[in-house]
Amino acid sequence: MAPHGEMSWTEGMIPAINPEVVAGIVSRISDLALIISENGTIRNAQANPNFNLLPDLQTWLGRPIQDFLTVESVPKFETRLAQFKDHTADVQPVQVNHVANGEIPEFPVQYSFHRTGVENSILMLGNDLTSTAEMQQQLVAAHIALENDYETQREHDLRFRVLLESSETSTAFISVKTGKLEACNSAAETLFGKPRDTLIGGAFALEFEVQGRGDLVDQLVAAASEQVRTSIIVKSVKTGQDLTLKPTLYRGADGPMLLCKMSIDDEEGASSGQLQAQLVDLYHRGSDSIVFLDGTGLILSANDAFLNFTDVTHPQNLKGRSMVEFFSRGSIDLNVMIENARRTGSMRLYATKVLSEHGGERAVEISTTQLKAGKASVFAMIVRDSRRVETVRTPMQQITEVDMRSVIELIGGHSLKDIVAQSTDVIEKMCIETAVEMTSNNRVAAAEMLGLSRQSLYVKLRKYDLVNKS
């Protein structure tokens, strides 16, 4: 019989098989068929042509099958062969691994044993288990990976709980979607005076007497979203104590979440902490409009007073917008205030008009201060109502002694009309110098502030010999 030839059951491929067992053998034939003696010597071998791991079967003939099995497979094979020779009923197939040989890797096969009707001749029919073994290996690898993920998750969860419980700061996790408290530590239980089982799942806002506009969770989200992070002062319903809430916004598996650190607003605390709490309280409750800008004039945050002043409905509607949109003179007002604050640190009492969200116009006075926020600069503007429509002038400092003396010397030698005309020139010169200085010698912006055309401003600059003055 040719090991690699086509199987022919009518031409004696496997010798001396009685006709009554041929049908059973044929029905169970698989990838590899071996005829062995009772001591395991291979007498003949045949492989299915479609068998992917087809070994060189000629080298198998006349050698014990144990030579082609892995070390752990030999005992299993010999035990099952002994059971078959002892005529044990229902001998189960045996799964063994054939050793690698040349380019053929190690491969598993499941053999069943069959009698041939010929003495000292046993038929072994084998099914290739390579695909099954690969699948089992993949399942085992996936199971190991899953167990490792579970172990990592358990470790992270344990670390989180230990860290949370070891913190002396009262900490709570709140769902932005539902407003409910999802988790807290022991310090929060003590602060609220309630057990954790009662707190978890309840509405967070119900624990406080909230002052100000909007829902507490909305206020916390707004405070956490601001670049200059702020805190919120509230009063505990249970204890009546003033509490400072410092929120941090993050995205959880079920949507946005808030990590809220809570502390008692202790009057005996450090003065710096008191000052910070008072400033935060002033920001939220003060009557003056307060707005923070970045170096380009984009709004970072604004208090409720500014929202009311400009008819803006929600703090989120301001985020990312330029303050230019709210000035009647647009970028001219913004550039004058920011450049002066950047140069000198602050600018007091700049008069202009602020536009509301619906187009209304109101006269205001604005004080601008430059603040440090790391390496960047933040500009704080305090906006106050004003009935004045002219630009606030710097008092008598702008009028020089020479100008005043020239006016005083006119008294007694000129009529009142001439004195007023000369005084008007002095004041006009003072106004032009002030506008040029406030705009950092930006002639276009200065002309806009004075209500003059560019050509008229240049005429007056030449009149007062201010053309070359920077």
Side-chain angles (χ1 to χ4, degrees):
M1 178 198 71
H4 303 291
E6 296 184 359
M7 300 177 69
S8 174
W9 298 97
T10 60
E11 297 179 0
M13 180 191 73
I14 301 178
I17 299 180
N18 292 336
E20 60 269 20
V21 297
V22 171
I25 296 174
V26 171
S27 64
R28 299 178 66 181
I29 249 180
S30 295
D31 297 306
L32 198 58
L34 302 177
I35 297 291
I36 64 172
S37 65
E38 292 187 353
N39 60 7
T41 301
I42 300 175
R43 294 182 172 180
N44 212 329
Q46 179 69 38
N48 191 318
N50 297 323
F51 185 32
N52 294 328
L53 299 174
L54 188 63
D56 185 4
L57 297 181
Q58 289 290 351
T59 61
W60 288 27
L61 301 180
R63 296 178 59 185
I65 189 174
Q66 290 90 335
D67 292 349
F68 305 99
L69 300 178
T70 58
V71 175
E72 68 275 7
S73 297
V74 172
K76 293 194 298 182
F77 171 77
E78 292 179 345
T79 300
R80 199 59 52 85
L81 178 62
Q83 293 175 351
F84 181 78
K85 290 192 296 183
D86 292 342
H87 301 280
T88 302
D90 298 328
V91 174
Q92 297 297 319
V94 62
Q95 294 182 5
V96 295
N97 290 326
H98 283 286
V99 295
N101 183 14
E103 297 181 357
I104 304 298
E106 180 179 313
F107 60 95
V109 176
Q110 178 175 281
Y111 285 107
S112 58
F113 297 89
H114 306 276
R115 303 188 185 280
T116 62
V118 177
E119 186 178 357
N120 197 26
S121 181
I122 300 172
L123 173 62
M124 294 173 54
L125 296 180
N127 292 319
D128 179 29
L129 298 180
T130 301
S131 59
T132 303
E134 291 175 352
M135 183 178 296
Q136 290 175 342
Q137 291 174 356
Q138 292 174 359
L139 290 174
V140 170
H143 182 73
I144 293 174
L146 191 60
E147 284 296 327
N148 290 337
D149 289 342
Y150 284 150
E151 188 63 30
T152 302
Q153 182 65 32
R154 286 192 290 268
E155 181 66 21
H156 287 167
D157 186 61
L158 179 60
R159 291 177 183 176
F160 164 74
R161 293 183 183 280
V162 171
L163 179 62
L164 189 64
E165 290 301 320
S166 63
S167 174
E168 297 180 358
T169 303
S170 301
T171 306
F173 292 85
I174 304 100
S175 170
V176 174
K177 185 186 301 182
T178 63
K180 295 181 178 180
L181 191 148
E182 300 289 340
C184 65
N185 61 356
S186 300
E189 291 183 274
T190 304
L191 183 68
F192 289 127
K194 293 182 180 180
R196 191 174 314 185
D197 294 341
T198 304
L199 291 170
I200 293 177
F204 185 66
L206 296 180
E207 302 297 328
F208 308 98
E209 298 176 7
V210 182
Q211 297 183 8
R213 103 193 235 171
D215 181 76
L216 175 61
V217 174
D218 291 338
Q219 293 185 42
L220 291 172
V221 171
S225 302
E226 294 170 357
Q227 182 170 335
V228 182
R229 186 163 297 173
T230 59
S231 56
I232 294 176
I233 307 298
V234 294
K235 180 173 289 188
S236 172
V237 173
K238 180 76 173 179
T239 63
Q241 294 175 307
D242 287 335
L243 304 178
T244 301
L245 308 184
K246 297 181 179 180
T248 300
L249 183 66
Y250 71 98
R251 180 162 294 279
D254 297 326
M257 296 285 294
L258 282 167
L259 184 153
C260 189
K261 294 183 178 180
M262 303 166 288
S263 59
I264 298 175
D265 191 22
D266 188 2
E267 295 183 357
E268 298 180 357
S271 59
S272 61
Q274 291 180 350
L275 178 61
Q276 181 180 6
Q278 291 166 359
L279 290 175
V280 170
D281 202 22
L282 173 64
Y283 174 80
H284 287 288
R285 302 184 187 182
S287 59
D288 288 333
S289 301
I290 302 175
V291 59
F292 291 92
L293 312 176
D294 66 8
T296 63
L298 294 181
I299 297 174
L300 301 175
S301 64
N303 64 353
D304 284 350
F306 184 81
L307 298 181
N308 293 327
F309 194 81
T310 56
D311 295 327
V312 176
T313 56
H314 196 276
Q316 292 297 326
N317 296 338
L318 289 175
K319 293 296 293 293
R321 294 174 62 180
S322 175
M323 194 64 186
V324 170
E325 300 178 29
F326 297 96
F327 288 140
S328 61
R329 291 193 292 260
S331 59
I332 292 176
D333 283 335
L334 179 66
N335 291 338
V336 168
M337 285 184 281
I338 286 184
E339 289 305 319
N340 278 275
R342 183 178 280 120
R343 187 171 62 251
T344 63
S346 64
M347 182 179 184
R348 298 178 62 250
L349 301 179
Y350 180 84
T352 184
K353 293 181 180 179
V354 168
L355 304 175
S356 71
E357 191 81 328
H358 307 299
E361 191 174 75
R362 301 174 69 175
V364 296
E365 291 178 343
I366 301 177
S367 298
T368 305
T369 304
Q370 184 183 24
L371 307 174
K372 289 297 182 182
K375 296 182 179 180
S377 292
V378 173
F379 295 88
M381 289 186 175
I382 299 177
V383 184
R384 298 184 182 92
D385 285 306
S386 173
R387 293 184 179 182
R388 291 175 295 173
V389 294
E390 306 88 13
T391 304
V392 175
R393 314 303 184 193
T394 306
M396 299 299 293
Q397 293 178 341
Q398 295 294 335
I399 302 178
T400 64
E401 293 182 4
V402 176
D403 293 330
M404 289 298 299
R405 191 180 304 112
S406 65
V407 173
I408 295 173
E409 288 175 353
L410 296 175
I411 300 174
H414 295 78
S415 66
L416 179 62
K417 181 178 180 181
D418 292 336
I419 295 174
V420 171
Q422 291 290 335
S423 301
T424 302
D425 289 342
V426 172
I427 295 173
E428 186 176 57
K429 177 183 177 183
M430 176 196 70
C431 294
I432 293 173
E433 286 180 316
T434 302
V436 170
E437 182 181 353
M438 289 177 64
T439 58
S440 300
N441 204 28
N442 186 328
R443 307 294 172 83
V444 177
E448 179 72 19
M449 290 181 65
L450 295 170
L452 300 173
S453 66
R454 195 185 311 176
Q455 291 79 8
S456 298
L457 176 62
Y458 277 107
V459 169
K460 293 182 181 297
L461 289 173
R462 285 193 291 271
K463 175 181 177 181
Y464 299 114
D465 194 23
L466 299 175
V467 174
N468 297 322
K469 185 175 180 180
S470 58

